[in-house]
Amino acid sequence: MSDQIFAFGLGIGTQNNEGNWLEVFYSAPSINVEQSTLDALLESTNYEGGNSTLVLEEGDLNRLHMSLLKAGNIEQAELASRLKASTQPVVLCVLATNEAPTNPAEAYLKLQLISHRLAQPHSVVLDGMFGLLINTAWTSEGPIDVRELADRQLSARMQGRTIEVFSVDKFPKMLNFVVPTGIRVGDGARIRLGAHLGEGTTVMHEGFVNFNAGTLGSSMVEGRISAGVVVGNGSDLGGGCSTMGTLSGGGNIVIGVGEKCLIGANAGIGIGLGDRCTVESGLYITAGSKVAVLDENNQVVSTVKARELSGQSDLLFRRNSETGAIECKTNKTAIALNEALHAHN
Ligand SMILES: CC(C)(COP(=O)(O)OP(=O)(O)OC[C@H]1O[C@@H](n2cnc3c(N)ncnc32)[C@H](O)[C@@H]1OP(=O)(O)O)[C@@H](O)C(=O)NCCC(=O)NCCS
């Protein structure tokens, strides 16, 4: 057994009628778990090594509590003790290695590592996750397998209740799992579990953040952060702007936005931006767009495909309002986020 294991979590899970996991809520997932904690898991539960998902009964939780106390892991020991009172299945998910997930409990642990800011987007292996997750109705009576929803709706109605269905999706709202410190969010439905919101990030109502994507620091997000896109500290995504994802038809460039960038309202990027870049409102830069590179005197020095400028710093992109050509100049004025707006996160 190696000195450290990748991650583990004690959680509360929901199963469908076939006993498959729809979701697991891990209140305090752990990453880079120490040997002493691993020993506690091995000696007090049925965990035998590797990547494994177990359901714990009260006796397991009692033993785990004592072992974790002995190992000096007070936080997890207290959690184990508290979970003894759960009326819902208690799940222990251990990931010895950061391999592709093999069941929803593992996938949920990984998504929560990101949203708890224990792992940055792209640092956990999520290959094949879509196929594992079950399409779920997220309702006022909890998560329900969408195939079982109609039956549950009828049963509820027969007892005088209406099940409110908030969404039907493989991913739940991040905020129902964790609210990381120092953030503000206008509409929780716009942020999927697996998003990473940095300290100081505000996501306004039109903003959207997908899984395995997000901000690393302070940002104003009024546009869409697609799956896989990571935005650096101090960058501002203007109202309705778009960052192209790689999930469907967006090519294969994984888009990143550096620090102190401004993507104008209704603008969009299909290329990465370095630091201190600005994209004019309304301009969509696709990777193949021809861009006229201008000098100090606004003279064209060359014409390149936008992808050749991907990831470069200090660029200003605009569409010439007279000719319609996309132009790129040196960006002389990097934005500074409005301090007052971020002081109260
Ligand atoms: C692209 C942008 C940053 C340029 O702003 P700026 O750097 O302040 O530039 P200015 O408007 O002062 O213009 C500088 C010069 O470039 C010219 N210019 C600006 N945009 C131009 C365009 N699209 N085509 C041709 N010339 C243009 C101006 O006419 C001006 O010319 P001058 O030197 O002869 O007077 C700005 O127009 C923009 O789109 N900002 C995004 C704001 C935003 O969406 N925020 C998010 C809100 S939710």
Side-chain angles (χ1 to χ4, degrees):
M1 189 64 60
S2 65
D3 286 340
Q4 271 196 338
I5 55 168
F6 174 64
F8 92 103
L10 277 168
I12 296 166
T14 309
Q15 287 159 300
N16 65 10
N17 289 343
E18 289 160 8
N20 296 321
W21 297 113
L22 291 179
E23 52 109 49
V24 182
F25 169 82
Y26 301 98
S27 58
S30 290
I31 196 163
N32 300 330
V33 183
E34 288 174 1
Q35 181 71 44
S36 52
T37 294
L38 175 59
D39 290 342
L41 298 174
L42 286 164
E43 80 179 23
S44 62
T45 70
N46 289 332
Y47 175 61
E48 291 175 342
N51 292 359
S52 177
T53 303
L54 306 167
V55 175
L56 300 187
E57 305 298 339
E58 196 180 336
D60 300 311
L61 286 164
N62 262 326
R63 283 191 301 279
L64 184 57
H65 169 67
M66 298 308 292
S67 294
L68 287 167
L69 272 186
K70 209 170 68 187
N73 193 337
I74 309 300
E75 185 196 18
Q76 296 293 334
E78 284 175 357
L79 177 58
S81 176
R82 185 151 179 214
L83 288 176
K84 285 187 286 183
S86 175
T87 58
Q88 305 302 309
V90 175
V91 175
L92 168 66
C93 182
V94 188
L95 298 177
T97 56
N98 183 13
E99 280 168 63
T102 61
N103 65 40
E106 293 181 2
Y108 267 78
L109 178 54
K110 290 187 156 185
L111 292 171
Q112 281 163 80
L113 289 174
I114 299 173
S115 291
H116 276 258
R117 297 190 190 131
L118 294 169
Q120 290 199 349
H122 300 295
S123 69
V124 297
V125 179
L126 297 172
D127 298 355
M129 178 182 61
F130 251 89
L132 295 174
L133 299 181
I134 294 171
N135 200 15
T136 299
W138 302 92
T139 79
S140 52
E141 300 200 358
I144 301 172
D145 187 324
V146 75
R147 295 163 295 189
E148 297 165 8
L149 180 64
D151 186 61
R152 288 279 295 272
Q153 283 173 315
L154 177 60
S155 299
R157 289 283 185 160
M158 286 165 65
Q159 292 158 17
R161 301 190 319 277
T162 302
I163 296 181
E164 189 69 30
V165 179
F166 303 116
S167 66
V168 176
D169 193 2
K170 292 197 172 195
F171 295 79
K173 295 180 194 175
M174 182 191 85
L175 299 184
N176 286 352
F177 286 72
V178 56
V179 180
T181 54
I183 63 160
R184 287 193 291 141
V185 172
D187 180 355
R190 309 276 300 173
I191 302 178
R192 277 172 137 186
L193 184 65
H196 184 288
L197 297 192
E199 179 99 30
T201 289
T202 294
V203 185
M204 294 296 286
H205 302 71
E206 279 301 299
F208 167 76
V209 189
N210 214 330
F211 69 93
N212 205 22
T215 61
L216 299 182
S218 207
S219 276
M220 172 59 80
V221 182
E222 300 184 76
R224 301 186 295 280
I225 302 181
S226 301
V229 176
V230 178
V231 175
N233 184 34
S235 287
D236 185 333
L237 273 63
C241 81
S242 146
T243 51
M244 221 183 252
T246 50
L247 289 182
S248 51
N252 50 16
I253 302 179
V254 177
I255 289 175
V257 175
E259 300 191 349
K260 294 193 162 84
C261 291
L262 169 63
I263 306 180
N266 284 343
I269 54 166
I271 60 167
L273 300 179
D275 296 332
R276 300 171 300 279
C277 291
T278 299
V279 182
E280 182 185 35
S281 308
L283 168 61
Y284 209 116
I285 315 168
T286 54
S289 301
K290 306 277 173 54
V291 179
V293 179
L294 306 185
D295 66 12
E296 294 277 294
N297 303 314
N298 288 338
Q299 298 303 306
V300 179
V301 290
S302 63
T303 298
V304 299
K305 287 190 178 160
R307 65 168 59 87
E308 292 171 45
L309 300 169
S310 183
Q312 292 188 29
S313 295
D314 299 298
L315 300 182
L316 167 73
F317 292 92
R318 69 179 191 190
R319 185 179 294 281
N320 188 302
S321 56
E322 293 180 307
T323 66
I326 301 178
E327 297 175 338
C328 176
K329 303 175 58 162
T330 301
N331 192 19
K332 298 225 169 102
T333 49
I335 58 135
L337 287 178
N338 185 330
E339 292 289 337
L341 289 179
H342 289 265
H344 305 292
N345 277 5

